[in-house]
PDB file of all heavy atoms in Angstrom:
ATOM      1  N   MET Y 655       2.583  -5.555 -60.114  1.00  0.00           N
ATOM      2  CA  MET Y 655       3.254  -6.796 -60.430  1.00  0.00           C
ATOM      3  C   MET Y 655       4.770  -6.780 -60.362  1.00  0.00           C
ATOM      4  O   MET Y 655       5.400  -7.776 -59.943  1.00  0.00           O
ATOM      5  CB  MET Y 655       2.909  -7.196 -61.935  1.00  0.00           C
ATOM      6  CG  MET Y 655       3.465  -8.507 -62.412  1.00  0.00           C
ATOM      7  SD  MET Y 655       2.747  -9.967 -61.568  1.00  0.00           S
ATOM      8  CE  MET Y 655       1.159 -10.145 -62.528  1.00  0.00           C
ATOM      9  N   TRP Y 657       6.380  -4.978 -58.121  1.00  0.00           N
ATOM     10  CA  TRP Y 657       6.718  -5.107 -56.701  1.00  0.00           C
ATOM     11  C   TRP Y 657       6.727  -6.571 -56.251  1.00  0.00           C
ATOM     12  O   TRP Y 657       7.610  -7.067 -55.489  1.00  0.00           O
ATOM     13  CB  TRP Y 657       5.626  -4.418 -55.906  1.00  0.00           C
ATOM     14  CG  TRP Y 657       5.584  -2.930 -55.971  1.00  0.00           C
ATOM     15  CD1 TRP Y 657       6.729  -2.114 -56.500  1.00  0.00           C
ATOM     16  CD2 TRP Y 657       4.672  -1.952 -55.570  1.00  0.00           C
ATOM     17  NE1 TRP Y 657       6.321  -0.769 -56.393  1.00  0.00           N
ATOM     18  CE2 TRP Y 657       5.102  -0.771 -55.860  1.00  0.00           C
ATOM     19  CE3 TRP Y 657       3.351  -2.152 -55.074  1.00  0.00           C
ATOM     20  CZ2 TRP Y 657       4.367   0.373 -55.621  1.00  0.00           C
ATOM     21  CZ3 TRP Y 657       2.641  -1.057 -54.810  1.00  0.00           C
ATOM     22  CH2 TRP Y 657       3.058   0.243 -55.091  1.00  0.00           C
ATOM     23  N   LEU Y 658       5.757  -7.310 -56.749  1.00  0.00           N
ATOM     24  CA  LEU Y 658       5.650  -8.788 -56.301  1.00  0.00           C
ATOM     25  C   LEU Y 658       6.879  -9.486 -56.740  1.00  0.00           C
ATOM     26  O   LEU Y 658       7.512 -10.359 -56.057  1.00  0.00           O
ATOM     27  CB  LEU Y 658       4.382  -9.349 -56.985  1.00  0.00           C
ATOM     28  CG  LEU Y 658       3.053  -8.913 -56.471  1.00  0.00           C
ATOM     29  CD1 LEU Y 658       1.996  -9.724 -57.270  1.00  0.00           C
ATOM     30  CD2 LEU Y 658       2.883  -8.982 -55.010  1.00  0.00           C
ATOM     31  N   ILE Y 659       7.348  -9.217 -57.945  1.00  0.00           N
ATOM     32  CA  ILE Y 659       8.502  -9.940 -58.591  1.00  0.00           C
ATOM     33  C   ILE Y 659       9.810  -9.401 -57.961  1.00  0.00           C
ATOM     34  O   ILE Y 659      10.669 -10.250 -57.566  1.00  0.00           O
ATOM     35  CB  ILE Y 659       8.450  -9.819 -60.148  1.00  0.00           C
ATOM     36  CG1 ILE Y 659       7.129 -10.496 -60.638  1.00  0.00           C
ATOM     37  CG2 ILE Y 659       9.715 -10.400 -60.679  1.00  0.00           C
ATOM     38  CD1 ILE Y 659       6.957 -10.276 -62.082  1.00  0.00           C
ATOM     39  N   ASP Y 660      10.010  -8.114 -58.034  1.00  0.00           N
ATOM     40  CA  ASP Y 660      11.343  -7.496 -57.594  1.00  0.00           C
ATOM     41  C   ASP Y 660      11.543  -7.821 -56.133  1.00  0.00           C
ATOM     42  O   ASP Y 660      12.800  -8.116 -55.784  1.00  0.00           O
ATOM     43  CB  ASP Y 660      11.298  -6.009 -57.749  1.00  0.00           C
ATOM     44  CG  ASP Y 660      11.247  -5.660 -59.315  1.00  0.00           C
ATOM     45  OD1 ASP Y 660      11.414  -6.565 -60.017  1.00  0.00           O
ATOM     46  OD2 ASP Y 660      10.853  -4.416 -59.601  1.00  0.00           O
ATOM     47  N   TYR Y 661      10.632  -7.880 -55.320  1.00  0.00           N
ATOM     48  CA  TYR Y 661      10.961  -8.033 -53.885  1.00  0.00           C
ATOM     49  C   TYR Y 661      10.582  -9.513 -53.446  1.00  0.00           C
ATOM     50  O   TYR Y 661      10.425  -9.753 -52.174  1.00  0.00           O
ATOM     51  CB  TYR Y 661      10.204  -7.047 -53.037  1.00  0.00           C
ATOM     52  CG  TYR Y 661      10.475  -5.632 -53.473  1.00  0.00           C
ATOM     53  CD1 TYR Y 661       9.558  -4.726 -54.043  1.00  0.00           C
ATOM     54  CD2 TYR Y 661      11.866  -5.236 -53.493  1.00  0.00           C
ATOM     55  CE1 TYR Y 661       9.847  -3.468 -54.383  1.00  0.00           C
ATOM     56  CE2 TYR Y 661      12.155  -3.902 -53.895  1.00  0.00           C
ATOM     57  CZ  TYR Y 661      11.176  -3.137 -54.408  1.00  0.00           C
ATOM     58  OH  TYR Y 661      11.491  -1.850 -54.872  1.00  0.00           O
ATOM     59  N   ARG Y 662      10.227 -10.394 -54.293  1.00  0.00           N
ATOM     60  CA  ARG Y 662       9.988 -11.732 -54.064  1.00  0.00           C
ATOM     61  C   ARG Y 662       8.945 -11.908 -52.885  1.00  0.00           C
ATOM     62  O   ARG Y 662       9.081 -12.532 -51.958  1.00  0.00           O
ATOM     63  CB  ARG Y 662      11.165 -12.503 -53.717  1.00  0.00           C
ATOM     64  CG  ARG Y 662      12.206 -12.684 -54.755  1.00  0.00           C
ATOM     65  CD  ARG Y 662      13.508 -13.374 -54.360  1.00  0.00           C
ATOM     66  NE  ARG Y 662      13.217 -14.835 -54.108  1.00  0.00           N
ATOM     67  CZ  ARG Y 662      13.210 -15.804 -54.938  1.00  0.00           C
ATOM     68  NH1 ARG Y 662      13.502 -15.536 -56.292  1.00  0.00           N
ATOM     69  NH2 ARG Y 662      12.966 -17.035 -54.610  1.00  0.00           N
TER      70      ARG Y 662
END
Side-chain angles (χ1 to χ4, degrees):
M655 182 67 82
W657 291 343
L658 296 181
I659 295 170
D660 294 346
Y661 306 119
R662 297 179 64 89

